[in-house]
Every structure is written in structure tokens, then in C-alpha cells.
Amino acid sequence: MSDQPPADHLKAQGRALIREAALVAGKWIPVGDDAISVHSPADGALLGRVPKLSAAQVDQAIEAAAAAFPAWARTKGKARGEILARWAALVTQNEDSLAALISLENGKPWKEALGEVRYANSFISWFAGMAERLDGKAIESPNGEDLILAFREPVGPVAAITPWNFPAAMITRKAAAAFCAGCPVVLKPASATPFTGLALAALALEAGVPAGCFSVVSGEQDVVGGRLTGSELIRKLSFTGSTAVGRKLAAQCAPTLKRMSMELGGAAPLLVFDDADLEVAVSGTVAGKFRAGGQTCVCPNRVYVQAGIKDAYLEALTARVAALTVGDPFAPDTEIGPLIDEKGVTKVEDHIARTVAAGGKVLTGGQRMTGSYFQPTVIAGGDDELFRHEETFGPLVPVFTFDTEEEAIARANASEFGLAAFLFSDDLNRAMRVGRAIESGIVGINSGLISNAANPFGGVKQSGFGREGSTYGIDDYLQVKALTLALR
Ligand code: NAP
């Protein structure tokens, strides 16, 4: 017996949160003729539409953020923290419906979507607690007489651009930190999943975030992105998405020299050493890889298993993956929902075809199902080159073999990306040695799940820069102001 509410009830709850609008300067702009249609990845049904805002409307949101900034920055940290705490409480009150909305527009199973809502909310609570702890430093001057006071001040209005794979968490990880610091936010959510961001913003306003401090803008990428990155009033861009778009936005930010956080793509390696606990390694691989159907930036993209444990690992992994249940996001036993769209499906097909052509063998899965559903797939062998440079973003685990620790590290690092990495070993010395040697921002040791509010999340190399969550996550929204006091 499942404790999940009935599908029809959940779908109705999710639909009730859909607002066909944008939020500009505290006002809801209703959808007009020029609009973006949002479809359910599960069955293609039209969920609703959001406006394609004009450049002038985006500017209005930016100007409102700039106008709201001084008062918001001066608001006491304790008061901003209380607003964040109220926002968190409202998200908790609405968590079933928000999860249903995520399942509707993103397609992840409802239980997993509920996990995302709680994960998203953990950032709001985390930064609620931090808002009254943003202290500075008193520094003695080299002359031994003067006193230097270093204050940490909010950077100013922030533009946040987010992807569709975590329609709630990628927003709160930015917005909660920005509000904690005293920055207003103009958010551009992904066009595939705008309704979750709009619903979260409605709750934020209800919690007391001032009008103007949180706008949600939708529209043509170049129009919205162009205004946000080009504006002198926006002092920081926080972007989560693909490396290609990140590069383009970084170039657009250059003329106004904005602060930037770039949470970009990955090609996470997962290493399994002979001395690993087999069950832990297999469970960790499945948990890490099949979250959101393989559509996360930290999903293991390529597995390297040491020769001595390879056969046992492949046998256990294949059995586990073959048993995963693919289905409707609202069915209680569903573990994997549909991919986001047809492009996502063809990419997985392409990666399978290229790996098979290079000598890889499909051990389970390998085929598309109806719509944008895809069979969970394990492939052994072939060439790992492709997976070092391209994210599959789907339910495919390619497994390769290595002999020595040095080889494993070299192959893990042979990529321009460096977001997440995973390793499985029961030798503590090896785990620490390899964990330190891998070029990535986040390493999971004997765990496939590494995302939580306390963990500094972010990449190195072309996976970007900046950290989100944790005590470090606030730094990207603060700048240091130094006053020198000449003592007489
Ligand atoms: P994407 O195509 O880069 O889009 C991300 C966001 O950028 C969307 O809101 C998108 O808008 C917007 N965008 C695209 N082109 C733009 C432009 N020229 N100007 C302004 N905005 C623009 O990425 P995605 O397909 O949504 O997400 C998947 C990618 O995100 C993967 O590479 C994944 O690894 C990465 N990701 C990284 C992290 C991390 O923390 N490092 C977390 C999650 C995902 P539209 O929706 O309107 O196209």
C-alpha cells in the first residue's frame, strides 16, 4: 500500500498552482498572444503558457530591483532571516502541490519531486539561519595605529538564470542566498519549467519579500538574457545551465564587469576499486545515475571499474538497473519518468549507437519506449572519449575497465569538465589520495548522493566557478567594503 496521494488529486493540486503570467515589479503580467507554451513531458499535454516579455518589461523588472535594493540591503539581517523562515514554512505547507507541479512540468516521479521540494527548501532554511550572521572583520593596519574595518555588503541586484532539471532547487539555491545577503533577484527560469519558479515567487511575496525584490521574467532567450546581462543595474549574474550557454553569458557580462557564478555542465567520473564494498558501489551508482532519470549535472557520466571486481560489479549493476520501474510520474511505484523532450531521447540513442560502434555491448535496456521514455541502460566497453566530453543527460551507464590507481585518476581527469566525481573504495588512504587527486569541485566517497545544503556545490575547469549552498554559498552575493579609521 503506497502512502502517496491518488494521482488525480495530485495532478489537480499541481495544476491549481499554475499561474500563466510573469512577475514584474510585484505585479503579475498576464499571458497575451505572444507566449511560450509549456507541455508535460509525460504525455505532451499543454499545461499552460507564460508571456514572452518585451525588452521594456524586462527593464522594468531590473529597474524595480535597483529601486528596491537600498532598503532591502539596509533591512536588518534578522528581519530578512525571518522572511526567509516564513517562506520556508509556506513551501513546507505547499510541498505536496509544489511536488506535483514539478512532476507535471519536468516529468520526475512525484516522490522524487517531493524530495526536490524539501531539498530546495533546505536552502531557504539554511540561509534564513545565516542572515543575522553576516559579520565582517577588524584588521590592524601595518602602521600599528590605524584600524581597518572590513564590512561584507550585498553586491546589488542579481540576475538568476536557471535550468529545467531542478525547477525548484536551482532557484532557491540562488534566491535564498541573495535575499540572505540583501540582494534583490530578477529570475529567468527555464522555459520548459517556469511554473514552479512562479509558484515559489508567489510564496516568497506572501512571506514578505518586498515587491521589486523578486521578479520572474520569461521570454526569448536573447531578449531576456540580453537585457539582464547587458544592464549596468544588475551587478551579478548567477547562472546554472550548460557550459556553452555559460560561456556566451559570461562574454555578454564582460562589458559591465559583473560578478558571476557559473554552475555549468559536468561529465562526472565514477571509480570503483577492487577493494570497494560491492553492494555500496552498485547502490551508489544507481542512486547517483538514475536521479531525475539521469538528467542532473552531477550524474555519473562514465564508470571506471577495476579489473578484479569488474565482472561482479557489472552483473549486480545490470540486475539492479533492469529492475528499475519506468512509468508515469504520478504512479506510486515509478522510479524513472520521461526524459524532458525528444532531443533528450535522441542524444541518449546517439551515445548508445556510438558506443556500440566502438565495441561496447548493451547489457540491459538500450531502446526508446513510448513518447520520451527511455529504458534504463548499461553498456560495457567501447571508447570512453565521448563520455569525457559530452553529458549524456539520460538513463545510460557506460562502464569501462582500468588496472591501476594512476590510470583511474588520469582517465577521470581527462576531461575539460570538473563538477562532480565519485569513488568507491574501503581503503581510507586510497579514498583520500584519489579524492584529493581528482580535478572536480565535489567528490562523493562511497556515496552517489552528494547534494545537500551544507555541501559547497560547484565546479572547477569548464564546469564553472562559484559555490552554492554551505557557508561558502553566501560569499558570491557579498562584496567587501573597507573603511580605514586613522586613530589619533
Ligand atoms: P541551458 O540550455 O544552458 O539553459 C539553462 C538556462 O539558460 C535556461 O533558463 C535557458 O532558457 C537559458 N538560456 C539558454 N540560452 C540563453 C541565452 N542565450 N541567453 C539567456 N539565457 C539563455 O541548460 P539546460 O538544458 O536548461 O540544463 C541542462 C544543463 O544544465 C546541463 O548542462 C547541466 O549539467 C547543467 N546544470 C548544471 C548544474 C550545476 O549546478 N552545475 C545544475 C543543473 C544543471 P530557455 O529555457 O528559455 O532555453
Side-chain angles (χ1 to χ4, degrees), residues 138-149 483-487:
I139 305 163
E140 201 172 305
S141 156
N143 68 15
E145 292 168 5
D146 298 348
L147 186 61
I148 300 165
L149 298 174
L483 300 191
T484 297
L485 178 63
L487 295 172

Side-chain angles (χ1 to χ4, degrees), residues 454-480:
N455 199 359
F457 193 101
V460 298
K461 303 202 282 191
Q462 295 193 38
S463 290
F465 42 81
R467 292 293 176 269
E468 292 194 322
S470 83
T471 51
Y472 297 95
I474 194 67
D475 295 343
D476 282 2
Y477 296 89
L478 294 170
Q479 58 198 3
V480 175

Side-chain angles (χ1 to χ4, degrees), residues 162 164 173 188 191 221 239-242 263-264 297 391 457:
T162 54
W164 50 263
R173 210 161 69 165
K188 186 220 148 326
S191 298
Q221 296 159 343
F239 173 70
T240 297
S242 59
E263 298 282 351
L264 308 178
C297 52
E391 287 178 287
F457 193 101

